[in-house]
Amino acid sequence: VIQKSFPDIMVDKNSVNVGFGKAVNQAAGKATGEYLLILNPDTIVQENTISTFVEYLEQHPDAGIIGPKILNADGSLQLACKRSFPTIGVALPKLLGLTALFPNSRWAGKYNLTYLDPDKIHKVDAISGSCMFVRQELFNRLDGFDEQFFMFGEDLDLCYRIKQAGYEIHYFPVTQIVHYQGESVKTAPYDSLNAFYNAMILFSNKHFSRGQSMLMNFTIRLGISIRKAMSILEEWRSLLISIGLDALVVLVAFLIAIPVRFNNFEPILVTRGLVPAVYIFFWLVVGSLFQLYTRYILSYTRAILASVSGFFIAVAFTYFFKQYAFSRLVIILATAIITVLIPGWRVLAHYLMSRGVLKPVKEKHHVLFSRKALVIGTDPESLRIAGNIQKRFDTGLDIVGFCDRKLSLEQDELPNTFLGALTDVRDIIKTHAIREIIFSSSGFTNEEILSIMNKTRDLRLTYRMVPRNQEILLGKSSVEEVGDYCFVNIEYSLFHRLHRISKRLFDILGSVLVLIVFSPLIAIHFIIGSTASKEYWGENGKRFNVSEFKNKSRFLRELLLIWAVLKGKISFVGSSLIDTTNPDPKLICKPGITGLAKVRNVKIVSGENSIMDHYYVQNQSLTLDLEIIMKTLFS
């Protein structure tokens, strides 16, 4: 791809991963310029960055290497862009986590120099290897990076040797870049963390005295043990919180249900607390069988299934152990409360995560809770990007609208959802609860993008960028495809027999329940109203008729469609309902009362139905159907 798009670039291909330092040395050996720019690929650089670097080094002969201000994907400062050498006094507060607690302390904040003003130039011990600008003669004289460092530490080692050679290292925030990989180390597996600490040990063995190195290595290994213990406690914390909340829900449910039947808490007193302790145990066991306390802690659909399953187990238990069967009413009422609250707190957690109140615990995108996004720019490229995202249901993004520079008189056509000018961007973000901002690099320079990020960095946003004429979305340590779908060797979930059976059972049980609940309303409108038959397209070109109330509200018209669900003509969730006055849409799945088109509020044009249908049949599950139904009801 590089050779095709940039034929003047010299590409040196390796058959194996030789490590960062050795690969840079290979390229430096062939470079002929006066300066070397060492840059990670997952970065966005201002247009004037390199020229600014050159000008500064020419004016400061004592500086051997410089690095810019580096931002994370959320606009926050990436701490590694300025730091000290890891002596014991510097590394210990970092390893113990005291740097995060006391960032402005000169003692605790030495490792990343957090007490220094990030917007001023400083002489520092080291800068980040993600972006370094160094004199080539100096780099070659020092034999480049030490290739013993496979990953991490090679930049620190180079800075140490540059200082020993009599040159200064400068942190240079006059220009800035975005480094999208900056947050990955926070959730890195143990082998990556060990690679980081092993690099520190290698550094200390190489540059410190034997006694100092031994003490340093002991401190680092102690830090590794403490960090691993904290990681384990962090995992257990989520487990204990979810178990505790579920147990509390069951307890509260029985404390509410028992007085309704007995006007007192006699069952609890008579059993010496075994009621509701036994039932708490049952529901927790069922929850664990559904993996609610391991892999699916925040799965609200599994929580619903676990709650209902717990009801049947509780009923069976009371049948065999009469001493605990005080009342069916207590069990039914308690189960109703449990079925609402156990999934309910999980739904609330997802809602708070989508609003940025809680930190996301996983990257899975939900149909029910999407993150509101603002597109910066109204140029054709921005509109194309927004259109592609709106057609995709796996990005978790909901395009709220557009924002651009002050309107020009020549701009005749703007999106219907144009929210305002960039001068009002902060108010727009707050008013519409925006969580993510998407930039098109064709409409704004990188310098302008970084300036906008800097102005809004306190709003806890995620910033994404679409490179020119590409179908990818950069941001939050990931690259996401946002172009059109490709369907090659795809296995469709909906076509599995088990999924078809479970979906049909869900439709039957759900439609029977809805018809029972709303039967008086339906009967009244059958008597006083009138109905008409309407023909729709079904799967594979089939046609079918359904009855609808004439001149009634949308709710009443769709309520009568429940009969069609019960008969199997349509489903609760499926493709769009398209009447036969339109051309055959060639549906590959059964139409539904609701579906992806409704929850995303996307205007369907010719050919786009197939995109939604393919996505749905590929990913269909009871969880997805419930999310679509819930979002339809909420909206």
Side-chain angles (χ1 to χ4, degrees), residues 348-360 371 433-435 459-460:
L348 177 63
H350 281 288
Y351 174 80
L352 294 176
M353 285 189 293
S354 71
R355 293 297 181 270
V357 178
L358 294 180
K359 183 180 178 181
R371 302 180 306 284
I434 302 297
R435 298 306 323 145
L459 299 179
R460 300 175 66 190

Side-chain angles (χ1 to χ4, degrees), residues 134-192:
V134 60
R135 302 178 190 276
Q136 188 206 42
E137 181 276 328
L138 175 61
F139 187 86
N140 291 337
R141 192 196 330 154
L142 297 175
D143 296 324
F145 284 126
D146 185 341
E147 297 176 6
Q148 295 180 84
F149 295 89
F150 181 84
M151 180 172 66
F152 304 120
E154 68 286 318
D155 50 356
L156 198 66
D157 172 75
L158 177 65
C159 289
Y160 190 91
R161 289 183 286 124
I162 287 176
K163 266 206 160 184
Q164 285 185 320
Y167 286 87
E168 296 173 350
I169 291 94
H170 288 189
Y171 165 69
F172 183 62
V174 174
T175 187
Q176 53 189 355
I177 71 168
V178 179
H179 185 204
Y180 282 103
Q181 194 65 17
E183 295 191 350
S184 61
V185 177
K186 295 179 182 177
T187 54
Y190 287 150
D191 56 350
S192 296

Side-chain angles (χ1 to χ4, degrees), residues 393-410:
F393 305 98
D394 51 352
T395 62
L397 296 175
D398 181 16
I399 304 296
V400 175
F402 298 80
C403 181
D404 207 338
R405 303 177 180 92
K406 288 185 178 181
L407 299 184
S408 167
L409 294 175
E410 295 152 5

Side-chain angles (χ1 to χ4, degrees), residues 534-538 542-544 546 548 577-580:
K534 194 169 184 178
E535 190 177 53
Y536 290 98
W537 289 109
K542 295 178 182 177
R543 302 170 182 236
F544 63 91
V546 297
E548 292 184 353
L577 270 171
I578 301 174
D579 61 57
T580 53

Side-chain angles (χ1 to χ4, degrees), residues 335-355:
T335 301
I337 296 171
I338 290 167
T339 306
V340 171
L341 294 185
I342 284 185
W345 74 258
R346 290 173 166 86
V347 171
L348 177 63
H350 281 288
Y351 174 80
L352 294 176
M353 285 189 293
S354 71
R355 293 297 181 270

Side-chain angles (χ1 to χ4, degrees), residues 363-555:
E363 289 297 321
K364 181 185 176 184
H365 303 307
H366 292 275
V367 170
L368 181 59
F369 295 115
S370 52
R371 302 180 306 284
K372 293 183 178 182
L374 174 69
V375 177
I376 302 294
T378 53
D379 58 290
E381 183 73 358
S382 298
L383 300 182
R384 181 188 66 83
I385 292 162
N388 282 349
I389 292 173
Q390 285 288 65
K391 297 172 193 173
R392 296 291 296 253
F393 305 98
D394 51 352
T395 62
L397 296 175
D398 181 16
I399 304 296
V400 175
F402 298 80
C403 181
D404 207 338
R405 303 177 180 92
K406 288 185 178 181
L407 299 184
S408 167
L409 294 175
E410 295 152 5
Q411 285 179 293
D412 303 333
E413 297 182 2
L414 283 174
N416 293 330
T417 48
F418 184 77
L419 301 179
L422 271 177
T423 51
D424 302 318
V425 67
R426 289 181 63 88
D427 291 334
I428 292 170
I429 291 168
K430 292 176 181 178
T431 301
H432 296 276
I434 302 297
R435 298 306 323 145
E436 306 208 4
I437 287 183
I438 300 171
F439 298 98
S440 164
S441 59
S442 64
F444 291 84
T445 65
N446 291 351
E447 186 173 1
E448 288 176 312
I449 291 171
L450 289 165
S451 175
I452 295 169
M453 292 175 63
N454 194 49
K455 290 176 182 177
T456 58
R457 61 185 177 184
D458 59 309
L459 299 179
R460 300 175 66 190
L461 304 171
T462 295
Y463 302 91
R464 298 176 183 267
M465 176 183 280
V466 180
R468 288 177 178 83
N469 302 316
Q470 293 191 39
E471 304 285 358
I472 60 173
L473 201 62
L474 298 176
K476 207 65 176 177
S477 307
S478 66
V479 178
E480 299 177 26
E481 174 70 41
V482 294
D484 293 334
Y485 279 99
C486 295
F487 296 99
V488 181
N489 298 327
I490 291 176
E491 186 176 9
Y492 292 139
S493 298
L494 184 58
F495 295 161
H496 289 182
R497 181 176 298 176
L498 179 62
H499 283 265
R500 279 190 172 274
I501 293 173
S502 62
K503 184 173 177 64
R504 183 64 189 133
L505 287 174
F506 177 77
D507 283 345
I508 293 171
L509 294 174
S511 58
V512 168
L513 180 61
V514 173
L515 288 172
I516 291 172
V517 172
F518 291 99
S519 56
L521 185 63
I522 296 173
I524 292 171
H525 280 83
F526 259 122
I527 295 170
I528 65 173
S530 60
T531 61
S533 179
K534 194 169 184 178
E535 190 177 53
Y536 290 98
W537 289 109
E539 292 178 87
N540 304 315
K542 295 178 182 177
R543 302 170 182 236
F544 63 91
N545 291 288
V546 297
S547 297
E548 292 184 353
F549 285 122
K550 288 183 178 179
N551 303 321
K552 296 297 180 183
S553 67
R554 176 181 170 184
F555 171 73

Side-chain angles (χ1 to χ4, degrees), residues 555-574:
F555 171 73
L556 286 172
R557 290 200 307 271
E558 294 187 350
L559 185 59
L560 204 55
L561 291 175
I562 300 298
W563 287 107
V565 175
L566 182 60
K567 293 176 182 178
K569 294 180 179 179
I570 63 175
S571 178
F572 275 113
V573 181

